[in-house]
Amino acid sequence: MTAARRWALVGVGVLLLVSTPFLVRALPAHDDGSSAVVLLHRIQGSRDVAFSGYVESGGTVGLPVNDALSGLTKLVGDTNKVRVWWRDPSTWRVSTLRTTGETDLVHAGDRTLRWVYESKNVTLVPDVAVRLPTTADLLPNELARRALSGARPGELSRLPARRIAGRDALGLRLRPADPQASIGRVDVYADRATGLPVQVRMFGRGAATPSVTSRFLDLTVGKPSSAALSFSPPDDAHLRSDDVVDLADAANRFASRVPPRTLAGLPRRTAPVGQAPGAVGVYGRGPTVLLAVPLWHRSADRVREDLLKAPGTRELDAGVLVAAPPLRLLLGSPEPNESAWLLAGTVTRKALLAAAAELAAHRPGLSFR
Amino acid sequence: MIRVELVKMLRRPRTWITILMLNALPTLVAVLLAVTDIGPQPGEGPAFLSAVLTDGTLFPLAALAIVLPLFMPVAVAVVAGDAVAGEAAGGTLRYVLTRPVRRTTLLVAKLVSVLAFVLLAVVVVAAVGYVVGRLLLGGGDASGLVTGVSGSSLTSTQLVERTLMSVVYVSLSMLGVAAMALMLSTFTDSAIGAALGALAFLIASTLLLTLDAAAALQPYLPTRYWLSFVDLFRDPIHWRDLTRGVGLQGVYVLVFLGVAWANFTTKDITS
């Protein structure tokens, strides 16, 4: 064999090896021509689709590190690799994979079991009305459900179909009409066969790159095995049961405040079925969310201290402002009783300051629960 | 020819000194863990390091995770970079090829010798890790069960099986480095140059893995799936990255060895 032939053989081989994944990815996706509203209904009707798969989720939202917010900071600021087994909305398991171990959330009925490999901690927590987001909330199906809740036909448009996780996926774009919204658009892709959302990308206003992304890399539709959904704590595990889930849950249940019906022009969301409305106000629609959390002075002082250390924090008359677009936080100035409102959400700075001003002016009263 | 190269590799003091040095760091880590009893926080430090505090039988895996990012590839790059360039630098390549031996055969023999070194190094690190772990950190639960990453209990048999699979996977992960260094070894008479070239390639890969801007490239980077052997200890085993890791190393080996073969069988040997 001549030298030229040898090199040609190697060149062709390299070209074939390198181009194969790109050729596979370039396979055309098939659309079915359904309208945006029809696709929305199909997505909303896919809640009970059982599946298992592998999800990559995360974002570029740079929240400050704080004990109370650390989970949220990692959730929207890093890339999370997650395995999921989903039988229905009340029976599922998600495993956040790390090279050093993993954290599992196993949900059954009205409780979630949390397993952390490195510390061997097993914690049982109840379902609560208000809590900070977890890995499960960033799965494409859950993120899409929340983002599209309350969507109006005028806010929706279709996107060309794509192939995601090896399946045909139909595209739906939501442009929130609320002037308070800091999310400019949400692109949702749903499995053509089942309507199950397989990719969600959230863009801040005017942003060319997504702030939060969640997508399936592998997806198998069908009921996962019972073995995958079950968890028995190992003998060397440290078992714990937490009645209070996080800062938001504690405030919602134990703070004696009554949030107003509307805040910054956004209506308060109703409490989940069977749950009494608490002290935390959740406002807005779809991807536009504003939380008003009443904090005790100790918690407020700790959060304020951490926020002031974070780069990009601004001290205003209204309080301490952290902008990590499209997410913004404002810890209000201390009230006479030294407690303070923590406002957080996907709203504009103007809306956040308006909310702080309303709370300061009207001082929501004490509840007599 | 293969036997000659294997014997040559095993008889070289450098082979054993390299393997000895590979074992020094994991042993030091085991001593420190045994003395201080301080493990890393979740998400920090090498894999399995938090688990070995209560069960030394997992230390072979921790040892592999300790040497895998840097020490093991350096050792492999040095040995593979020397395979052909070392002969050329020593002026022996011409004499080797004057024997009735085809260049392709010599290249395959060099490759097998490098692969044998990789496997030997990984097996010794795991074996020393097991002995050191048991001696310094204890044997874990009396029941013989070991807690897997997903919280399920692994029997001794399952642990041995998965540890052996890890050894094989880590060895396969090093093939890309070996092939890269061997390829460069056919282009130069400098063994150090070939080893450094392979290491530069790996450092670039490691750096690109930390950049969000390089997300599109990351699935194709040689170091992307190195630590995926941890997935063997999840329940159920997470095969996705493991299969991709093996496939990716296969592609790198084919490409680099193809170029090495085309170059080595074509060039004028003057050294």
Side-chain angles (χ1 to χ4, degrees):
Chain A
M1 195 185 287
T2 63
R5 280 194 176 181
R6 281 197 190 103
W7 282 109
L9 187 68
V10 170
V12 169
V14 169
L15 200 66
L16 278 173
L17 285 169
V18 171
S19 62
T20 302
F22 296 98
L23 290 171
V24 170
R25 209 177 293 171
L27 286 171
H30 299 96
D31 208 323
D32 66 0
S34 55
S35 70
V37 174
V38 167
L39 182 54
L40 173 69
H41 291 318
R42 285 179 62 192
I43 291 169
Q44 288 169 334
S46 70
R47 271 211 86 187
D48 289 324
V49 172
F51 62 88
S52 50
Y54 182 60
V55 170
E56 204 172 69
S57 70
T60 56
V61 182
L63 281 175
V65 177
N66 164 274
D67 281 349
L69 302 173
S70 64
L72 181 62
T73 305
K74 285 177 186 165
L75 204 59
V76 295
D78 289 342
T79 299
N80 304 288
K81 298 179 189 307
V82 180
R83 282 207 290 181
V84 54
W85 297 270
W86 187 279
R87 183 175 291 172
D88 56 55
S90 66
T91 315
W92 46 262
R93 176 176 182 161
V94 294
S95 303
T96 305
L97 310 184
R98 294 182 294 275
T99 51
T100 58
E102 69 180 60
T103 296
D104 288 35
L105 298 174
V106 186
H107 189 276
D110 60 353
R111 299 202 159 257
T112 303
L113 186 145
R114 185 170 185 262
W115 155 255
V116 181
Y117 171 69
E118 293 91 329
S119 58
K120 303 269 171 67
N121 282 339
V122 175
T123 314
L124 199 62
V125 294
D127 282 358
V128 292
V130 177
R131 56 167 173 75
L132 294 173
T134 66
T135 317
D137 299 312
L138 242 71
L139 295 174
N141 55 321
E142 284 296 282
L143 194 58
R145 182 179 64 80
R146 284 186 167 82
L148 297 173
S149 65
R152 296 163 188 158
E155 296 175 311
L156 299 168
S157 59
R158 280 294 318 272
L159 293 166
R162 275 188 187 177
R163 281 187 69 78
I164 295 167
R167 305 169 77 92
D168 288 339
L170 309 180
L172 181 69
R173 174 166 290 174
L174 169 80
R175 286 191 182 277
D178 299 316
Q180 302 92 335
S182 63
I183 298 278
R185 70 177 201 267
V186 182
D187 291 350
V188 177
Y189 284 87
D191 178 36
R192 186 181 163 204
T194 60
L196 180 76
V198 290
Q199 179 174 292
V200 179
R201 300 204 300 168
M202 291 184 161
F203 295 78
R205 273 193 180 182
T209 55
S211 305
V212 175
T213 302
S214 179
R215 63 179 178 140
F216 278 99
L217 297 180
D218 284 336
L219 174 64
T220 304
V221 174
K223 278 194 175 177
S225 68
S226 298
L229 291 161
S230 63
F231 184 88
S232 300
D235 293 340
D236 55 350
H238 316 296
L239 299 175
R240 216 173 67 196
S241 183
D242 277 357
D243 187 42
V244 178
V245 176
D246 57 31
L247 180 91
D249 174 43
N252 191 54
R253 284 199 278 165
F254 303 118
S256 302
R257 308 305 294 266
V258 183
R261 289 178 191 278
T262 64
L263 201 56
L266 295 167
R268 187 177 179 188
R269 295 186 184 186
T270 52
V273 179
Q275 303 265 15
V280 171
V282 184
Y283 301 86
R285 179 177 61 90
T288 310
V289 187
L290 175 61
L291 258 84
V293 185
L295 295 181
W296 292 273
H297 67 90
R298 277 186 201 165
S299 303
D301 288 347
R302 269 202 306 271
V303 173
R304 186 176 291 107
E305 206 174 294
D306 287 343
L307 293 186
L308 285 171
K309 285 180 201 164
T313 303
R314 296 192 59 188
E315 277 196 89
L316 310 171
D317 292 342
V320 180
L321 175 73
V322 176
L327 197 61
R328 287 179 175 82
L329 273 86
L330 180 78
L331 181 62
S333 301
E335 294 180 352
N337 62 1
E338 293 185 327
S339 65
W341 286 90
L342 175 67
L343 294 164
T346 48
V347 293
T348 60
R349 176 187 160 121
K350 186 180 168 185
L352 202 65
L353 293 175
E358 283 175 39
L359 289 171
H362 300 295
R363 301 264 330 270
L366 298 176
S367 69
F368 299 94
R369 286 180 286 151
Chain B
M1 193 72 213
I2 290 173
R3 200 171 62 85
V4 169
E5 288 298 328
L6 284 174
V7 169
K8 198 197 299 182
M9 184 268 290
L10 290 171
R11 281 186 176 170
R12 272 188 169 166
R14 189 190 61 187
T15 300
W16 298 102
I17 291 168
T18 305
I19 289 173
L20 186 73
M21 287 169 70
L22 271 176
N23 283 284
L25 183 63
T27 305
L28 175 65
V29 170
V31 170
L32 291 172
L33 288 176
V35 171
T36 65
D37 211 30
I38 299 171
Q41 292 295 310
E44 292 176 9
F48 295 106
L49 219 56
S50 54
V52 298
L53 286 171
T54 53
D55 191 349
T57 54
L58 289 168
F59 198 73
L61 304 161
L64 289 174
I66 288 165
V67 298
L68 191 56
L70 185 64
F71 287 79
M72 186 68 79
V74 167
V76 171
V78 167
V79 171
D82 184 65
V84 177
E87 299 271 16
T92 53
L93 189 56
R94 265 190 311 171
Y95 300 111
V96 170
L97 290 170
T98 52
R99 289 183 295 173
V101 58
R102 296 175 59 193
R103 292 187 187 193
T104 304
T105 309
L106 177 66
L107 194 65
V108 168
K110 292 286 185 189
L111 174 69
V112 171
S113 159
V114 170
L115 298 188
F117 170 78
V118 170
L119 193 61
L120 180 68
V122 173
V123 167
V124 172
V125 167
V128 171
Y130 179 78
V131 173
V132 166
R134 286 299 297 259
L135 288 175
L136 296 176
L137 300 161
D141 203 302
S143 66
L145 294 175
V146 173
T147 301
V149 175
S150 302
S152 54
S153 296
L154 302 175
T155 62
S156 299
T157 310
Q158 285 175 315
L159 181 65
V160 170
E161 281 173 358
R162 296 185 192 201
T163 303
L164 289 175
M165 282 196 276
S166 299
V167 166
V168 171
Y169 182 80
V170 170
S171 305
L172 291 173
S173 295
M174 290 296 106
L175 292 190
V177 190
M180 174 75 172
L182 189 63
M183 178 196 78
L184 292 174
S185 189
T186 66
F187 279 91
T188 176
D189 290 356
S190 166
I192 289 175
L196 287 177
L199 289 176
F201 177 62
L202 293 180
I203 290 164
S205 168
T206 308
L207 178 77
L208 289 171
L209 279 176
T210 64
L211 286 179
D212 289 342
L217 289 175
Q218 285 170 359
Y220 310 107
L221 294 172
T223 57
R224 165 65 181 82
Y225 300 107
W226 276 8
L227 289 168
S228 296
F229 72 89
V230 177
D231 293 346
L232 287 163
F233 297 85
R234 304 189 197 278
D235 191 18
I237 292 175
H238 184 50
W239 291 106
R240 186 183 194 275
D241 285 1
L242 291 161
T243 52
R244 277 168 171 71
V246 171
L248 186 65
Q249 294 304 319
V251 170
Y252 275 114
V253 167
L254 282 173
V255 169
F256 291 144
L257 289 184
V259 174
W261 168 77
N263 179 53
F264 189 61
T265 53
T266 305
K267 71 187 277 190
D268 291 332
I269 306 291
T270 56
S271 305

